[in-house]
Amino acid sequence: MKASLKIAGLILIVIALFVRAKVVERHESLNDGKQAVIEFPAEIKTIIDNKCYGCHSIKGESDDAKAALMWDSIPSYEKAKQVARLDKIIEVLTEGTMPPKEVIEKWPEAKISEAEARVLKTWAEKTADEILN
Amino acid sequence: MALAGILVILQFIPSAVPENSAVNNGDIILNGNAEQVADLLKDACYDCHSNQVDFPWYAKVAPASWLLARDIKKGREHLNFSEWEDYSKRNKIGKLESIQEEVTSGAMPLKVYTLMHKEARLSTAQVEVIKAWTEELTNRIME
């Protein structure tokens, strides 16, 4: 009885080590240089949550909006696609086309202030530059 | 008769069709960045997305001239192959992704344009060539 318990324990330990090795391996493969680690400081997260996330996340109802940008997917994209997404984000913030007029008419609180747009844009520019350099 | 009269009057409303420029040092083809798609880009894109527009005869006839002026102006704002080298790395990568999306979805070239320009219609194979080029150039910029 004792011996079989010991063997079972050993087998469990071996399995645990094996699983851990696999997890580490998978984690490393996600950071093999194809993706850049993208940091979302609290201030940026708040702006995204309040002004973008309603449409550009799984919560969104518009397929067009989701096809154009899913904030949560950015970290998993390859570097070039991360840069391309950030470039588009900077473009709409510069032109003032997001959130769209129709959305603001319905939900005035969705309007992004000039200060918020500037902060988000600066973050996106800095993040893109870091990926490129 | 009345219609002819209106058409004559329309010709006096200025349309401000954008001008071409003779020298384009930043041109993507001239700088060797689009060799495999040079003819495709010239045939399908350059009439709105460059400073080297091949103006058709109706470019000076209103109301066609107005539409043409608007499309060229907007086209150049979004993407100008004649000024490609002036874009930042980030802009280039963003624009290459847009090019791929636009031609793959069939949104570009505009239907109103391909209606008058048969040579601008892209076959599935040509779309694939453009797609491969955008990926190759993106990778080169990322290196």
Side-chain angles (χ1 to χ4, degrees):
Chain A
M1 186 61 193
K2 258 190 172 175
S4 61
L5 261 179
K6 269 186 188 169
I7 291 168
L10 252 163
I11 290 171
L12 270 177
I13 290 169
V14 169
I15 290 172
L17 282 172
F18 189 73
V19 169
R20 192 173 168 274
K22 271 281 184 208
V23 170
V24 170
E25 194 185 306
R26 193 171 157 266
H27 190 71
E28 277 171 357
S29 77
L30 270 176
N31 286 303
D32 60 359
K34 282 190 171 168
Q35 289 91 4
V37 178
I38 294 186
E39 310 271 0
F40 293 90
E43 188 186 13
I44 298 300
K45 252 192 126 301
T46 307
I47 299 172
I48 295 171
D49 280 350
N50 293 338
K51 312 293 171 170
C52 325
Y53 214 67
C55 295
H56 296 288
S57 74
I58 42 166
K59 291 198 287 186
E61 283 173 11
S62 153
D63 289 336
D64 284 350
K66 288 192 276 190
L69 171 68
M70 288 285 271
W71 279 97
D72 289 334
S73 303
I74 295 180
S76 66
Y77 290 149
E78 287 188 13
K79 283 179 182 173
K81 202 169 173 188
Q82 290 178 327
V83 172
R85 276 295 95 89
L86 290 163
D87 186 61
K88 300 280 160 55
I89 291 164
I90 294 160
E91 190 182 308
V92 300
L93 290 169
T94 308
E95 292 172 352
T97 46
M98 281 290 148
K101 268 192 216 133
E102 315 86 74
V103 170
I104 296 168
E105 272 167 23
K106 259 179 137 176
W107 297 282
E109 70 278 11
K111 189 173 165 56
I112 190 163
S113 73
E114 263 179 50
E116 287 169 327
R118 196 169 48 239
V119 170
L120 190 55
K121 196 176 138 182
T122 307
W123 167 84
E125 285 167 346
K126 192 175 139 258
T127 306
D129 283 349
E130 280 168 5
I131 298 171
L132 286 166
N133 291 319
Chain B
M1 195 57 202
L3 183 69
I6 291 169
L7 279 174
V8 168
I9 293 165
L10 288 184
Q11 305 318 310
F12 290 97
I13 303 173
S15 68
V17 175
E19 306 250 330
N20 273 339
S21 49
V23 183
N24 296 288
N25 292 328
D27 185 80
I28 194 166
I29 298 171
L30 272 184
N31 285 277
N33 286 318
E35 274 164 17
Q36 64 271 54
V37 288
D39 290 339
L40 280 178
L41 297 190
K42 280 184 180 164
D43 283 345
C45 320
Y46 262 52
D47 275 349
C48 287
H49 295 289
S50 84
N51 298 335
Q52 292 169 290
V53 177
D54 188 5
F55 288 108
W57 62 268
Y58 49 82
K60 288 193 161 56
V61 185
S65 56
W66 304 342
L67 293 177
L68 200 120
R70 192 201 57 185
D71 286 346
I72 297 174
K73 195 168 165 283
K74 271 177 70 180
R76 283 181 183 174
E77 269 169 24
H78 282 124
L79 167 69
N80 190 336
F81 284 124
S82 300
E83 294 168 10
W84 180 259
E85 301 305 323
D86 299 334
Y87 293 134
S88 68
K89 271 188 180 185
R90 190 194 80 218
N91 281 162
K92 284 177 183 162
I93 288 164
K95 286 177 196 299
L96 285 165
E97 198 201 43
S98 299
I99 293 168
Q100 193 186 109
E101 278 170 10
E102 297 289 332
V103 297
T104 314
S105 68
M108 283 286 158
L110 290 177
K111 292 277 174 297
V112 62
Y113 178 71
T114 51
L115 200 70
M116 304 297 285
H117 296 81
K118 283 203 177 100
E119 74 286 0
R121 290 176 198 167
L122 296 173
S123 69
T124 315
Q126 287 170 323
V127 168
E128 284 305 311
V129 172
I130 293 177
K131 202 176 150 203
W133 162 72
T134 59
E135 280 160 11
E136 182 262 327
L137 185 53
T138 299
N139 288 338
R140 255 199 290 149
I141 296 167
M142 289 299 292
E143 268 167 17

